Structure formats: C-alpha cells, structure tokens
Amino acid sequence: MKNENFKSGFVSIVGRPNVGKSTLLNRILGEKIVAVSDKPQTTRTVIRGILSDGASQIVFVDTPGIHAARSRMNRAMVDAAYGAISGIDLLLLVVDATAPRDDVFVRQVAAKAGAPVFLVLNKVDLVEPKDRLLELIAGISRLHPFAEVVPISAQAGYNVERLVAVIRERLPEGVAYFPDDILTDQPEKVICAELVREKVFRLTGEEVPYATAVMIDSFKERENGLVAISATILVEREGQKGIVIGKKGAMLKKIGQAARGDIERLLGTKVYLELFVKVQERWTERTAVLRELGYE
C-alpha cells in the first residue's frame, strides 16, 4: 500500500567515462560499493545503490561510461548504460566541469530520457577562474531544458547533500522497493570482486586494467566470523599476468592487502583473501565468460 508521505523512485547516473559517476554514488551512500579509479571505463555493469532515510528511498543506478565501443565487452557496457535511461524517475547527466565536451552527446543522452534530466557538473572545485563555471553552466543549459543544474564536487563532497535534497523533492510518492537497511541489490561477492578489480586498476600499469576481470571462486564465512574469499584475476596475455603478480609476487600481495582493507570495511569483519591470476586469451570477446562475469 502506498504511503502518501513517502517518496521513492529510480535515478540513473549517466555520462562519459571518468566523469565521477561512481565516486558520486559512493559519496551519496557513505560507503564504497562501486570501483573507482582515475582510469576511464572502471564501471562495467549496472549497479544499484539504495539510499533510505525513513521518509524516502532513492534507488540510484550507476552505469558504465558511454564511449565508442570496440570489443564485445565494451558494446555490452554501452548497451547497459543506455538501457538504464528508460523506466526511471530522474536522470542525472554527469559532466566533468574541467573538460566539458560533446555538445552532441549531451543532446543525444538527454533526448533519450523519458524523465526529467538533471545536469550535474562535477569537479567544479577544480575550475579556475570561477567566472568560467558560470559561462559553462550557461552554455550547456542551452542544449536541453534541464529540470535542474547542480554544480558539485563528488570527491570533496561539495553540494552533494543539496543534490540529494533536490532529487527527493522531485520524486513521486511511492513505496519502498528494498529493505531500508541495505545499500545495494548486488550480492556481497559481486561488490568484493569489484573492489579487487579496482585495486588492479589503481596499482598496475596502463595496459593491464582493460584486459582484467575478477571472478570470486569461493566465499565462505567460518565459525569464528572470519570470511574466507578466493578470487581469480583474469588477464588476456602472459605478459599481463607477470605485471599483476609482480616480482616475487609483490604486486599481487599489494593488490590483496589493499582490497582486503576495503572488503573488511564493507563486511564489518576480518577477511582472508586469496588471489590467483589466470590467462584467458580474448576473454573480452567470449560470450560464455562475459555472461559468467555479468557483463551480458
């Protein structure tokens, strides 16, 4: 039964790669559930983050960055992003204020939305001089009749609370779609895999991350409360395997230590994390592998 005083709805977050969509979602939720890095195309699948406060529930849909797709995996990513534009209550179109581009892109995405569109200008704290920000807002605002224009810094947290408040005002009255004590509809092991992959992105070189995926082989809670996780990092070539493992296993150890810290914070318990590296040539083009990883 609908509560007349309760607001709820689905809000998709879309934009080009590396504009800060996942950083924004993590900031809103106050918890890291999505992998982030300074490299584009970090997010590969649609991930829902749920913000509940007793009077409302906002289901945020984080999407892969929309880009020129070449591999089968990348095409699936872009299809997922465009698919998240339909059947929603609001669309947040995130634009990097330090590198605005693609007037055509903004028009195309905004035109596809069957819901009000908020223009969210991210990284505004890095824009100098400040007068340039006003010119930027005026210029982009001419491209589409945006319902709201909100300048923010997802990294610093600037104006994010106001963005959430404005979203709540626009939501229709409705029901809670999820229990109010969960942050995401994704299984814990999926988020754990994302956190491991994030560390590969952050700690290895330029070539390796785009040919990397993480599969959770086992996820078991022991009697003492410790969670034992075994995961395999997939790469496409032997040379990439060597980079991920590092000299005498140093890089793999570093990845594991960094990922374990985030996973322990997520699960609220001690974690034993065991990582392996496996070469699977051209896995980004293999339907069976992409389906197993949830990309198709």
Side-chain angles (χ1 to χ4, degrees):
M1 183 176 178
K2 184 183 291 186
N3 181 346
E4 292 183 359
N5 297 316
F6 192 87
K7 288 191 168 187
S8 63
F10 288 79
V11 179
S12 284
I13 308 173
V14 301
R16 286 290 192 185
N18 212 30
V19 295
K21 300 183 299 298
S22 298
T23 301
L24 173 59
L25 180 55
N26 289 337
R27 171 68 68 175
I28 289 172
L29 299 180
E31 188 74 61
K32 182 183 286 187
I33 68 163
V34 189
V36 295
S37 81
D38 59 359
K39 297 180 176 68
Q41 300 168 32
T42 306
T43 300
R44 289 181 178 165
T45 59
V46 170
I47 294 178
R48 293 181 181 88
I50 303 154
L51 182 66
S52 303
D53 65 359
S56 66
Q57 184 176 87
I58 310 172
V59 183
F60 290 96
V61 185
D62 186 33
T63 62
I66 298 174
H67 59 284
R70 294 181 178 84
S71 71
R72 182 163 188 154
M73 180 189 74
N74 284 59
R75 290 193 295 272
M77 289 163 56
V78 173
D79 288 345
Y82 276 120
I85 292 176
S86 62
I88 57 172
D89 297 283
L90 285 174
L91 178 70
L92 304 185
L93 178 54
V94 183
V95 173
D96 183 348
T98 67
R101 56 177 182 152
D102 287 339
D103 291 356
V104 173
F105 168 78
V106 172
R107 286 195 183 98
Q108 285 178 341
V109 173
K112 286 178 180 290
V117 181
F118 285 12
L119 172 64
V120 180
L121 278 172
N122 191 26
K123 308 180 187 180
V124 297
D125 53 323
L126 304 179
V127 176
E128 295 291 347
K130 294 306 177 186
D131 289 348
R132 181 168 167 264
L133 181 59
L134 297 176
E135 295 173 3
L136 177 60
I137 291 174
I140 300 181
S141 294
R142 286 193 289 268
L143 302 177
H144 182 81
F146 295 105
E148 297 283 349
V149 178
V150 186
I152 68 164
S153 170
Q155 186 68 45
Y158 168 73
N159 228 23
V160 173
E161 287 187 6
R162 177 177 176 270
L163 172 62
V164 173
V166 175
I167 291 171
R168 283 198 187 100
E169 291 175 4
R170 289 275 183 166
L171 290 181
E173 293 179 354
V175 299
Y177 297 96
F178 299 94
D180 60 9
D181 59 348
I182 67 171
L183 289 176
T184 179
D185 64 344
Q186 295 291 314
E188 289 178 336
K189 69 177 187 178
V190 172
I191 304 300
C192 292
E194 286 291 284
L195 294 175
V196 173
R197 188 168 62 87
E198 177 195 58
K199 299 307 178 286
V200 178
F201 265 62
R202 286 181 178 273
L203 297 173
T204 61
E206 291 295 324
E207 180 187 12
V208 173
Y210 303 104
T212 302
V214 176
M215 305 177 75
I216 301 296
D217 303 314
S218 66
F219 188 103
K220 298 178 181 178
E221 184 174 351
R222 296 177 178 172
E223 291 183 0
N224 60 0
L226 181 143
V227 174
I229 301 172
S230 175
T232 297
I233 300 171
L234 286 183
V235 295
E236 289 190 309
R237 297 194 297 273
E238 284 293 336
Q240 295 167 346
K241 179 179 179 180
I243 293 171
V244 173
I245 293 175
K247 188 175 182 180
K248 296 183 179 179
M251 177 56 72
L252 190 61
K253 181 179 179 181
K254 193 173 181 180
I255 291 168
Q257 288 175 338
R260 188 177 68 246
D262 276 356
I263 293 171
E264 287 182 339
R265 283 187 286 275
L266 174 73
L267 302 180
T269 189
K270 290 292 184 181
V271 170
Y272 173 74
L273 178 62
E274 189 175 27
L275 297 179
F276 303 92
V277 185
K278 178 181 177 180
V279 177
Q280 191 159 103
E281 293 183 3
R282 295 180 59 80
W283 69 262
T284 56
E285 298 290 348
R286 295 186 178 185
T287 302
V289 178
L290 293 176
R291 285 178 178 167
E292 185 174 359
L293 291 166
Y295 299 151
E296 287 195 348

